[in-house]
Amino acid sequence: MTDPELPKLVLPGDYLGAAEQFLPGRGTYEDRGRIYASVLGTPRVDPRDSSVHVDPKNSIPSVEEGDLVYARVEELKTAMAICTILGTTTSRRRVPGDPEGTIHISKAKEGYTESWSGEFAVGDIVLARILQSRPSVKLSTAAGPLGVVSARCQVCHGLLTLGGKELVCPRCGHHERRKLAQGPRPDLAERPHAGAA
Ligand SMILES: [Zn+2]
């Protein structure tokens, strides 16, 4: 149900109420006792626990075919990598609604890919191109400059660094392989922050 005291539409960062009044729910975050929208959408209050939620405006993300985006690998299925789109390379802002995008294994790299092993791991940040934006977002990392731009060690979660053609964990020495983004690409240090609310 829509709370009459709340606006019909809010933007990320819009104030929703005090933490004494509401519990922060999905699509919101709390900062110093105040609750804000983290997505574009319609706020509503769940009367059962007085939690405030923001239902994303729609599932159509503001990304278009051909855009380059950063995405976090959330889950690897046999033929599909499920990712959260974090932002486009052209704007520093997050894509509202944390849209999901999928990479079919045939679009992970050029040529045949039998399994995800040695290509992606859960938690990796990839630079990908939008192949299709609706009704669902489909991504590709096949081209040379696309692929993994940030990866964590599967043993100790340290941030892997490139050593020759392999990734090496500076903390525990574990070696790993990925389908890495090659050649000129946007500065990694300026990519959108992956862990924000
Ligand atoms: Zn490690």
Side-chain angles (χ1 to χ4, degrees):
M1 87 178 191
T2 308
D3 190 292
E5 294 191 356
L6 289 169
K8 288 259 184 295
L9 188 71
V10 292
L11 293 167
D14 281 1
Y15 176 67
L16 298 171
E20 297 92 341
Q21 190 184 0
F22 300 121
L23 281 171
R26 200 172 151 75
T28 75
Y29 64 94
E30 186 184 334
D31 185 20
R32 280 169 258 178
R34 292 159 70 87
I35 299 170
Y36 300 90
S38 66
V39 297
L40 169 77
T42 304
R44 67 182 167 84
V45 173
D46 186 334
R48 288 170 299 182
D49 58 4
S50 293
S51 56
V52 61
H53 302 255
V54 178
D55 296 322
K57 175 84 175 95
N58 49 43
S59 56
I60 300 172
S62 55
V63 290
E64 296 295 334
E65 213 175 293
D67 283 353
L68 285 177
V69 295
Y70 291 107
R72 184 176 54 232
V73 178
E74 305 289 357
E75 196 181 340
L76 293 171
K77 297 184 182 282
T78 310
M80 204 75 85
I82 318 277
C83 305
T84 298
I85 296 168
L86 304 173
T88 63
T89 58
T90 46
S91 78
R92 296 278 171 264
R93 298 173 57 178
R94 286 176 69 94
V95 177
D98 290 338
E100 186 182 279
T102 56
I103 306 172
H104 190 266
I105 195 162
S106 66
K107 300 284 192 280
K109 65 174 188 195
E110 277 157 2
Y112 178 67
T113 307
E114 191 178 326
S115 81
W116 293 113
S117 162
E119 315 296 346
F120 299 161
V122 169
D124 287 356
I125 308 293
V126 298
L127 177 62
R129 185 176 296 284
I130 308 261
L131 293 177
Q132 173 196 303
S133 60
R134 7 193 116 76
S136 64
V137 179
K138 295 192 170 140
L139 305 168
S140 169
T141 55
L146 306 179
V148 173
V149 295
S150 170
R152 289 197 174 268
C153 174
Q154 297 301 293
V155 176
C156 76
H157 296 284
L159 206 55
L160 296 171
T161 55
L162 196 59
K165 290 215 150 188
E166 280 197 325
L167 293 164
V168 185
C169 177
R171 211 190 289 176
C172 76
H174 193 239
H175 284 237
E176 299 192 21
R177 286 192 314 123
R178 294 288 197 281
K179 195 290 182 184
L180 291 170
Q182 304 285 348
R185 56 190 157 85
D187 189 340
L188 298 191
E190 290 182 324
R191 73 170 191 271
H193 180 55

